[in-house]
Amino acid sequence: MNTKDVNATGSNTTKPNIAFIGLGNMGAPMAENLLKAGYALSVYDLSEDATQRLQQAGASVADSPKDAANNAQVVISMLPAGKHVHSVYLGDSGLLANLPKGTLVIDSSTIAAADARTVAEAASELGIDFLDAPVSGGTGGAIAGSLTFIVGGSDDAFAKAEPILAVMGKNIFHAGDHGAGQVAKICNNMLLGILMAGTAEAINLGVKNGLDPKVLSDIMLQSSGRNWTLEVYNPYPQVMENVPSSNGYQGGFMSKLMQKDLNLAMQTAQDTNVETPMGAKATELYEAHTVENGDRDFSSIMGRHDASLLS
């Protein structure tokens, strides 16, 4: 292993070389924003189409995560699940065993807090700064560079990462120590799943009793039932413009991703012996819903009450 010390953020005039691993719907536009800001990127993904897209934007393409990280002072990853994060970073052939001491690693995958802490502990033993930095804001936020980053890790590592994260996001929170970013992310998304399921249920009750969904939504917006789903993401079709419910529930945040985050919340609750009965019910509802609607936006839970809305 190379134990050479490196400066993760470079000097005031020199941007660090960045390895970006995982170029899916979120990772690709995040990487593109870094390129636009003048960072040198080496990228890796299993998808040839994804790597060609970044190559055309100015990135160099690597044949493996290890090759991507060669000569990089910063590594950023956006991977589907905890098992992929473990595979990339841990073990004798993982990145951590091959990165120089002082490298800054930012993992923006949404995974279990326990998985993030396992990788962070292994990184710390090797003198590598690790941050769990899951995001909120969806593909639109990734494209616009307006994501919210919820970061767990040391103060020093956060300070090094903040200028880089600011290229890809507008709101950057230091939630606490390792794993805190993941905990905060899944708490937020558990509440979002509960709110969306409850809002759909309330609107359905009104509609089935003769109320106009827009009128009812306006009433609740000015009353104590007001919440984010009513303000900017109404689940009933044609109540609000430019939201997935008015576009056949296409785009936005897929139901299967909400289901993934709810499952992570339930795993964390179980690991820490915390009761989450409403979260458990939302998880149950989305689990049934995603069987046939996993690729639809999570507001399509409205169709649970009226299947014709999904036709």
Side-chain angles (χ1 to χ4, degrees):
M1 175 185 167
N2 184 354
T3 58
K4 176 184 176 184
D5 287 313
V6 297
N7 182 345
T9 56
S11 68
N12 291 334
T13 59
T14 304
K15 290 183 170 68
N17 295 331
I18 297 177
F20 204 110
I21 301 164
L23 303 171
N25 292 335
M26 296 291 291
M30 290 167 65
E32 286 174 336
N33 283 330
L34 289 169
L35 287 169
K36 292 174 185 176
Y39 286 92
L41 252 64
S42 179
V43 301
Y44 173 77
D45 193 274
L46 292 173
S47 168
E48 186 176 348
D49 289 342
T51 55
Q52 285 182 349
R53 168 181 170 181
L54 267 295
Q55 188 175 44
Q56 291 172 357
S60 61
V61 175
D63 293 328
S64 69
K66 182 179 177 181
D67 288 341
N70 190 30
N71 297 321
Q73 291 83 50
V74 178
V75 177
I76 301 174
S77 52
M78 175 61 89
L79 301 166
K83 63 181 181 181
H84 304 105
V85 175
H86 277 240
S87 176
V88 165
Y89 286 109
L90 300 180
D92 292 339
S93 60
L95 276 186
L96 294 183
N98 294 281
L99 291 175
K101 182 180 179 181
T103 301
L104 174 63
V105 175
I106 304 169
D107 180 48
S108 287
S109 316
T110 297
I111 61 176
D115 288 331
R117 291 180 183 125
T118 296
V119 179
E121 182 178 348
S124 179
E125 291 175 355
L126 297 170
I128 294 168
D129 291 322
F130 179 86
L131 295 172
D132 52 287
V135 302
S136 179
T139 54
I143 293 169
S146 61
L147 291 170
T148 294
F149 283 89
I150 310 166
V151 185
S154 72
D155 291 339
D156 288 345
F158 178 76
K160 294 176 184 178
E162 194 169 12
I164 298 170
L165 299 180
V167 173
M168 301 177 285
K170 286 187 176 180
N171 301 299
I172 304 166
F173 296 99
H174 189 193
D177 207 349
H178 298 122
Q182 300 295 345
V183 174
K185 168 72 182 287
I186 61 172
C187 287
N188 178 78
N189 280 19
M190 182 182 75
L191 178 58
L192 178 58
I194 292 168
L195 288 172
M196 183 58 78
T199 298
E201 193 169 291
I203 292 175
N204 176 69
L205 178 62
V207 169
K208 293 297 173 63
N209 281 275
L211 296 183
D212 180 287
K214 187 176 188 317
V215 172
L216 175 58
S217 295
D218 288 343
I219 291 169
M220 292 192 292
L221 271 172
Q222 301 303 320
S223 305
S224 56
R226 181 174 186 165
N227 66 76
W228 182 88
T229 65
L230 285 168
E231 290 183 34
V232 300
Y233 217 88
N234 196 292
Y236 202 91
Q238 309 311 319
V239 169
M240 186 176 288
E241 296 180 355
N242 301 318
V243 293
S245 61
S246 295
N247 186 37
Y249 296 103
Q250 300 304 308
F253 184 57
M254 289 186 290
S255 293
K256 63 185 179 184
L257 297 180
M258 172 57 77
Q259 177 65 22
K260 171 196 168 184
D261 288 357
L262 287 168
N263 282 335
L264 288 173
M266 294 305 98
Q267 178 183 338
T268 301
Q270 182 176 355
D271 290 345
T272 53
N273 196 30
V274 176
E275 291 189 5
T276 54
M278 295 182 72
K281 186 61 179 179
T283 303
E284 176 188 328
L285 294 173
Y286 272 98
E287 183 174 0
H289 179 67
T290 55
V291 172
E292 295 184 358
N293 300 286
D295 290 332
R296 294 181 188 263
D297 180 73
F298 80 109
S299 62
S300 63
I301 195 77
M302 189 77 235
R304 173 175 172 267
H305 305 286
D306 185 348
S308 67
L309 298 178
L310 302 180
S311 60

